[in-house]
Amino acid sequence: MKKFIIALFPVALLACHTANKTTDDAKATKASKKSDGWQSLFNGTSKENWHVYNSKSDGAAWKVLGDGVLYLDPVAKKSGAGGGDLVTNDEFENFDLKLEWKIDSAGNSGIIFLTQEDPKYGQSYLTGPEMQIIDNNGHRDAKINKHRAGDLYDLIASTPENVHPLGQWNQIEIIINKGQLDLFQNGAKVVSTTMWNDNWKQLIANSKFKNWAGFGMFQKGRIALQDHGDGVAFRNIQIKRL
């Protein structure tokens, strides 16, 4: 009887090569993500990159939900859980910030940037400009010009006004690079201006911030997610230093 020997070695080699290729591809993808400069500020499981403004607390009312969402729970806050604006542990100067937000009905919040964390400032908004987050149809403050979703709060109204309907996620991007400030919402540039020049100073002089010493004049600071007492959700928060 003839004996037949099945050559398994090439198959094993192929399997090994495929496994190595998959591992190499994963490493290449990871290296690519690392090399392009983007840093995740919220990994979907912890608040390790954040703390409450002027506090060591991470704010128990800010809850990490199971679907990778950071949510300010107003019910928990009213029940005694700690809240407050969440600020980044790190400071940023020139950067590109991307995230998604969703607001509860009649809610109000914002993304504050270049804020100075110091006991002499009681709130993050006293020094940092804000990209407004709000229910345009449900919150009374949205009836005021320059107080609507996507606006550079009380400074420049967003154009176009393209916020998604209540209950849907909105994508935003804030880019600051050597004084040039651009705000994007849902794929469109909605605000563009230059910070710290005479026009910027005039914008502040014509706003509610006109008597707030230092407001909008700092070139480096933290990023804050505002606790306005209403339910607001954030996800996919990432930043790249420029």
Side-chain angles (χ1 to χ4, degrees):
M1 179 183 291
K2 292 183 179 179
K3 294 183 179 180
F4 295 93
I5 298 175
I6 300 175
L8 297 176
F9 183 62
V11 177
L13 270 179
L14 178 61
C16 181
H17 173 73
T18 302
N20 287 339
K21 186 177 184 302
T22 301
T23 302
D24 290 343
D25 288 346
K27 288 180 179 179
T29 301
K30 185 176 181 180
S32 175
K33 288 182 178 179
K34 185 176 181 180
S35 64
D36 68 10
W38 286 99
Q39 170 192 351
S40 174
L41 290 177
F42 176 60
N43 60 14
T45 60
S46 76
K47 294 176 281 184
E48 62 183 2
N49 292 315
W50 302 84
H51 63 275
V52 173
Y53 182 80
N54 277 340
S55 172
K56 294 181 180 180
S57 167
D58 68 351
W62 286 96
K63 295 186 175 180
V64 178
L65 305 184
D67 52 354
V69 171
L70 180 61
Y71 176 65
L72 177 66
D73 186 340
V75 175
K77 186 176 177 181
K78 288 178 181 178
S79 298
D85 292 0
L86 274 190
V87 297
T88 53
N89 294 339
D90 294 336
E91 291 187 324
F92 300 92
E93 188 172 4
N94 300 311
F95 61 84
D96 186 345
L97 172 70
K98 294 181 180 180
L99 59 78
E100 295 176 74
W101 65 266
K102 183 169 61 174
I103 193 77
D104 284 3
S105 179
N108 189 349
S109 182
I111 305 158
I112 300 166
F113 48 94
L114 301 177
T115 186
Q116 305 300 297
E117 188 173 30
D118 191 302
K120 70 181 179 181
Y121 301 117
Q123 301 288 342
S124 66
Y125 60 77
L126 293 178
T127 54
E130 173 188 344
M131 187 172 184
Q132 173 76 315
I133 292 174
I134 199 168
D135 175 4
N136 277 351
N137 298 317
H139 197 286
R140 63 183 181 277
D141 198 44
K143 296 178 181 179
I144 302 174
N145 184 38
K146 305 174 190 173
H147 287 202
R148 295 174 67 79
D151 291 356
L152 182 60
Y153 182 77
D154 212 63
L155 295 172
I156 302 176
S158 54
T159 306
E161 188 174 283
N162 64 348
V163 65
H164 287 161
L166 188 69
Q168 296 185 18
W169 288 98
N170 294 272
Q171 298 176 331
I172 68 95
E173 186 171 7
I174 300 173
I175 302 176
I176 299 175
N177 195 9
K178 298 177 181 178
Q180 177 62 35
L181 172 63
D182 294 308
L183 307 184
F184 296 80
Q185 183 166 257
N186 297 322
K189 184 186 289 187
V190 294
V191 172
S192 184
T193 191
T194 301
M195 302 182 72
W196 313 311
N197 62 10
D198 288 342
N199 180 67
W200 178 257
K201 293 174 183 177
Q202 191 59 47
L203 286 173
I204 295 174
N206 293 332
S207 74
K208 64 187 291 183
F209 313 118
K210 60 184 178 181
N211 296 320
W212 298 13
F215 174 85
M217 297 309 295
F218 294 95
Q219 298 186 21
K220 184 177 182 180
R222 304 184 196 276
I223 294 161
L225 307 178
Q226 189 179 47
D227 172 0
H228 207 283
D230 304 318
V232 61
F234 298 94
R235 69 181 184 185
N236 297 328
I237 309 171
Q238 56 182 327
I239 196 167
K240 177 166 67 173
R241 298 180 189 270
L242 303 176

